[in-house]
Amino acid sequence: FWNAYSFFVTYANIDGYEGHAGRESGRPSPEHELDRWVLARLATAAGECERGLAAYSANAATRAVVEFVGELTNWYIRRSRRRFWSPGLDDAKRRAYDTLSYVLTVLSQLLAPLAPFIAEEVYRGLHPDGAESVHLTDWPAIPAREEDAGLVREVAMVQRIARMGLSLRKQAGIRVRQPLAAAAVHLPGGSTLSPSQRDALMEELNVKRIETLANPSDVARVRAVPKARILGPKLGRDMQEVIRAARDGQVRVEGDRVVVWSGSREWDLPPEEIDVGYEGREGAQVASEDGILIAVDTAVTDDLLAEGMANEVNRHVQELRKRTGYAVDDRIGLEIDGDLPESWKQAIASWALADLDEVRDPDGVAEVTIAGGTFTLKVRRR
């Protein structure tokens, strides 16, 4: 919670953002999907918190807020950083500030009975001009228009697929900063990813494209386990034959149905009656949960390797900036000595608010080894 507040204050001060005074109830007018999602997710968390407090369950109320704060920092703020880092203060960026300010205000009110001191500190920081104590404000009333259960479910699915894909990267020993060519996704029931969901997955997994996997059997074998407690009374004597057939891999997925066969007989089962998973074929990196399948192409070309090295160099440049004590908006001179294409050196300089040049009498120096290559980094304040 404090980290989210600190992020907001740092960049709001840089941009001269002065709040959304004069708007009805200080509520934002979101257009960006991330803003709409965080408001919908806040509405869910506020409802859960209120129900927990009404039932005298501080644990339930606190859990709802803590889970939301995790998603606020690890999803909303992290995925919105480019908007906050962009130069100037246009309408789109102002809406992002409006949204984050409103979310932090409501959070401080939700936390007031649970963490009174930090709630008061954040609330007064957000409303410095003689605002009353957060403990004297009304309990936040979230308007129904901010609820969007469909969007919350869609983002939750993207988050789940991203976690599965990142686990495959970890298994293969490939860092997230190393871009990959593609990931292929299969969703149960014939579902598909929207363009915004594809874009989010591409960024989260750091891949160049997301493909739709129409036939999971191309990369994986179906592994199905019938739910005996449900199917037993329904199938009777056939239950054991269905279990054996599923164990032997005599299963296929057709849309939102699962077909198990044995000889000339077939059983057409809905997903709630049988658990379906996938096992990668030889050489395939796949992960599956509840009928969702993701496969990641782990081959790294020379171009992808160069981009990955640039990302690693950028990380070290950013760390050098912090270690040297520069402010977030300080412009610097940067020298990169190492085997990396000039285009990537220029890109790193743009990411680091730097001018690429020979640096004499540097404020800070770092020597790092990346993918077997040595780089010397020098910085100096302009």
Side-chain angles (χ1 to χ4, degrees):
F1 180 44
W2 186 262
N3 287 342
Y5 169 68
S6 177
F7 176 91
F8 170 80
V9 169
T10 298
Y11 288 96
N13 287 339
I14 289 173
D15 287 322
Y17 171 76
E18 296 180 351
H20 38 58
R23 301 188 188 183
E24 179 190 356
S25 303
R27 288 196 175 93
S29 302
E31 293 184 1
H32 196 285
E33 185 175 276
L34 272 172
D35 295 338
R36 291 189 289 107
W37 169 79
V38 79
L39 293 177
R41 186 64 185 84
L42 175 65
T44 302
E48 293 172 352
C49 178
E50 183 172 351
R51 287 190 291 274
L53 292 174
Y56 298 97
S57 176
N59 284 342
T62 302
R63 189 183 310 113
V65 177
V66 169
E67 288 177 357
F68 172 73
V69 170
E71 292 190 52
L72 173 68
T73 56
N74 295 325
W75 190 262
Y76 177 77
I77 290 179
R78 182 172 57 79
R79 290 192 47 74
S80 297
R81 281 177 177 170
R82 291 178 184 171
R83 289 197 290 163
F84 291 109
W85 288 345
S86 63
L89 185 59
D90 58 16
D91 287 343
K93 192 174 185 181
R94 187 179 296 279
R95 289 191 189 95
Y97 277 123
D98 288 349
T99 300
L100 185 52
S101 174
Y102 171 73
V103 168
L104 291 171
T105 295
V106 173
L107 268 178
S108 65
Q109 293 172 311
L110 296 177
L111 281 171
L114 304 168
F117 298 111
I118 190 172
E120 180 76 357
E121 184 75 12
V122 170
Y123 187 84
R124 287 188 177 273
L126 292 169
H127 306 85
D129 299 327
E132 62 184 356
S133 167
V134 68
H135 303 289
L136 298 177
T137 63
D138 293 333
W139 185 257
I142 309 295
R145 67 175 181 270
E146 291 179 7
E147 299 176 4
D148 191 337
L151 179 58
V152 170
R153 284 194 300 270
E154 288 178 8
V155 173
M157 182 179 66
V158 172
Q159 291 171 330
R160 186 179 191 181
I161 298 171
R163 285 194 295 270
M164 293 164 61
L166 292 174
S167 72
L168 291 178
R169 274 184 166 273
K170 187 174 182 180
Q171 291 172 24
I174 302 175
R175 293 185 176 184
V176 180
R177 292 188 187 89
Q178 173 59 62
L180 296 173
V185 177
H186 170 79
L187 300 178
S191 301
T192 58
L193 295 169
S194 69
S196 62
Q197 290 172 336
R198 286 177 179 272
D199 291 343
L201 271 180
M202 286 170 60
E203 291 184 13
E204 290 299 302
L205 298 178
N206 195 10
V207 296
K208 299 302 181 183
R209 65 184 185 277
I210 296 291
E211 301 172 346
T212 298
L213 191 59
N215 188 1
S217 62
D218 290 343
V219 296
R221 300 181 184 87
V222 179
R223 290 288 180 258
V225 179
K227 297 180 180 180
R229 288 186 179 180
I230 299 175
L231 287 174
K234 177 179 176 181
L235 298 181
R237 296 179 181 178
D238 290 341
M239 185 69 240
Q240 291 304 315
E241 188 172 357
V242 170
I243 291 175
R244 283 193 297 270
R247 187 176 57 235
D248 293 341
Q250 295 169 200
V251 180
R252 66 179 182 271
V253 178
E254 296 181 350
D256 61 350
R257 310 290 290 183
V258 181
V259 178
V260 181
W261 78 88
S262 177
S264 60
R265 303 186 66 192
E266 291 188 349
W267 294 268
D268 186 349
L269 306 175
E272 60 268 19
E273 294 180 353
I274 185 168
D275 290 324
V276 175
Y278 297 91
E279 180 182 272
R281 295 187 183 278
E282 293 72 11
Q285 291 277 351
V286 304
S288 68
E289 289 181 9
D290 297 333
I292 299 172
L293 173 69
I294 180 170
V296 176
D297 181 356
T298 56
V300 179
T301 64
D302 290 343
D303 288 343
L304 291 172
L305 180 61
E307 184 176 347
M309 291 177 67
N311 290 337
E312 290 290 346
V313 171
N314 177 58
R315 177 175 69 88
H316 288 288
V317 170
Q318 299 295 344
E319 289 178 353
L320 184 58
R321 279 189 63 112
K322 293 179 182 178
R323 193 163 64 246
T324 309
Y326 295 149
V328 174
D329 57 343
D330 279 345
R331 187 133 197 119
I332 64 171
L334 171 66
E335 181 178 343
I336 303 174
D337 183 14
D339 185 14
L340 192 67
E342 185 66 20
S343 60
W344 282 117
K345 290 183 179 181
Q346 292 290 349
I348 294 168
S350 68
W351 299 335
L353 281 180
D355 298 311
L356 202 60
D357 200 357
E358 181 181 354
V359 174
R360 298 180 180 179
D361 299 323
D363 300 326
V365 178
E367 187 170 295
V368 297
T369 300
I370 301 170
T374 300
F375 293 83
T376 301
L377 312 174
K378 299 178 183 179
V379 296
R380 182 175 177 81
R381 183 184 280 108
R382 287 299 193 190

